Amino acid sequence: PLTFILSGIPGLLMNSYWMALPLCCLYLLMLLGNCALLWMIKTDHSLHRPMYYFLSMLAMADLGLSLSTLPTMLAIFWFESTSLHFEACIVQMYFIHSFSAIESGVLVAMAFDRFVAICYPLRYASVLTSSLITKAGGAIFMRGICVVLPVAILIKKMPFCRSRVLSHSFCLHQDMLRLVCGDVRVNSLYGLTAVILTKGLDSLSILLSYMMIIRAILNIVSQEARAKAFRTCISHLCAILIFYIPLIGLSIIHRFGKHLPPLTHSLLADTYLLVPPVLNPLVYSWKTKQIRRRILILLC
């Protein structure tokens, strides 16, 4: 059966336990942080508000994104197992791109939450009802599942007759596509369309939301009220930067950075998939007063 060879990190020996141990610590930190967030939001009734419901969706997307890469990352650095069957590679690719699209959609929903809270504070409770949040969450998850499905179906039908060596420790669509020896125009076109329909539209929506948020903040007379309104957006802005900066960098080097060393591609892909799920719980725990207070109560 058709198998692919995963590269791990170029220049690093597969039996490098000094690399495997930090990876395990990162995954444990990710699991602990996101599961703790979900548990706190579920058990603390003071956190049963739209902002924290969206935060729980972000934590679930982060868990899905990290767990999609976990099997192959640990297999490479703990067990020196670099081969992966074609079907397993497609499944991993599908989940990685699906959860990435879901996380992008959740960030848009969180931007809308901040927009309503700052621009229309008196209508916040009437606009962001439980029904609307449930429908938004369902739409976000369904969009991530459905938009990426044709990508997996199209690439499953393609012939692979070149080198079977992938550039990363996991399967990505762009990486698999470069090994196809047939006509990839349809795959490339739909892949680009899927990115535009998800991350492209999402980034424009977030930008538009923050343009209106900034305009509303500047219209506030009190300087103290301005600072307070801006502080409510800091955690979300950090989550956006943590997610989109590596994503944009990875997209650029996949299309225009073929002359760059393989280590650059590998490290940027690892950063994009591993860093946001680890940092998001830390950022929200540090910058959100209610979550920070809850953590202090638990520790005491």
Side-chain angles (χ1 to χ4, degrees):
L2 180 63
T3 58
F4 290 107
I5 305 299
L6 303 172
S7 297
I9 298 178
L12 191 67
L13 296 176
M14 292 301 176
N15 58 355
S16 299
Y17 290 106
W18 67 268
M19 185 64 193
L21 288 173
L23 272 177
C24 285
C25 292
L26 277 178
Y27 278 112
L28 287 174
L29 186 61
M30 177 276 302
L31 287 169
L32 180 63
N34 287 289
C35 290
L37 268 182
L38 290 171
W39 180 78
M40 282 188 287
I41 293 169
K42 181 181 179 181
T43 56
D44 190 342
H45 291 284
S46 66
L47 300 180
H48 290 181
R49 292 160 52 190
M51 172 183 172
Y52 300 106
Y53 290 141
F54 289 130
L55 180 56
S56 66
M57 294 181 197
L58 184 68
M60 286 189 285
D62 281 336
L63 282 170
L65 193 60
S66 291
L67 293 176
S68 299
T69 63
L70 175 66
T72 52
M73 291 286 283
L74 294 187
I76 289 171
F77 292 106
W78 275 116
F79 306 109
E80 302 179 45
S81 175
T82 59
S83 62
L84 189 66
H85 288 296
F86 178 57
E87 288 77 12
C89 194
I90 288 180
V91 169
Q92 185 183 49
M93 179 207 71
Y94 173 74
F95 280 114
I96 287 174
H97 290 293
S98 291
F99 281 112
S100 177
I102 289 168
E103 181 156 351
S104 179
V106 173
L107 291 174
V108 174
M110 297 175 84
F112 179 72
D113 169 79
R114 292 298 85 205
F115 163 72
V116 177
I118 292 172
C119 299
Y120 303 99
L122 299 179
R123 298 175 57 189
Y124 182 76
S126 61
V127 172
L128 288 170
T129 60
S130 298
S131 174
L132 179 64
I133 293 169
T134 303
K135 290 176 182 176
I140 289 167
F141 276 82
M142 286 304 297
R143 186 193 67 162
I145 291 169
C146 296
V147 169
V148 182
L149 186 60
V151 173
I153 293 173
L154 286 170
I155 203 165
K156 192 175 189 303
K157 299 178 180 179
M158 301 303 293
F160 290 86
C161 52
R162 299 178 187 171
S163 168
R164 308 273 171 81
V165 180
L166 297 173
S167 305
H168 306 297
S169 306
F170 33 77
C171 299
L172 295 177
H173 179 247
Q174 305 95 320
D175 201 18
M176 294 177 67
L177 208 58
R178 68 181 179 83
L179 303 181
V180 174
C181 60
D183 187 358
V184 297
R185 284 178 295 181
V186 174
N187 300 66
S188 297
L189 181 61
Y190 183 80
L192 181 61
T193 304
V195 170
I196 292 172
L197 290 175
T198 53
K199 280 85 171 216
L201 291 179
D202 291 349
S203 57
L204 288 176
S205 301
I206 292 170
L207 181 61
L208 180 62
S209 297
Y210 270 96
M211 287 173 62
M212 292 186 284
I213 287 170
I214 291 169
R215 187 176 66 178
I217 290 175
L218 293 176
N219 288 332
I220 298 174
V221 177
S222 169
Q223 190 170 358
E224 183 180 349
R226 281 187 194 177
K228 184 178 179 181
F230 181 71
R231 281 197 298 270
T232 64
C233 299
I234 290 178
S235 299
H236 182 242
L237 285 171
C238 291
I240 291 169
L241 295 175
I242 290 168
F243 179 77
Y244 274 102
I245 289 177
L247 171 63
I248 293 169
L250 186 62
S251 300
I252 290 172
I253 67 168
H254 263 300
R255 295 191 178 275
F256 306 109
K258 294 181 174 60
H259 61 283
L260 294 173
L263 182 61
T264 305
H265 293 252
S266 180
L267 290 179
L268 197 53
D270 291 343
T271 302
Y272 162 56
L273 293 175
L274 295 180
V275 172
V278 173
L279 290 187
N280 282 337
L282 298 178
V283 168
Y284 274 94
S285 300
W286 173 49
K287 297 301 295 183
T288 307
K289 186 186 297 184
Q290 290 88 337
I291 295 177
R292 188 168 65 244
R293 186 189 302 125
R294 177 71 169 164
I295 292 172
L296 291 175
I297 291 171
L298 289 173
L299 292 175
C300 295

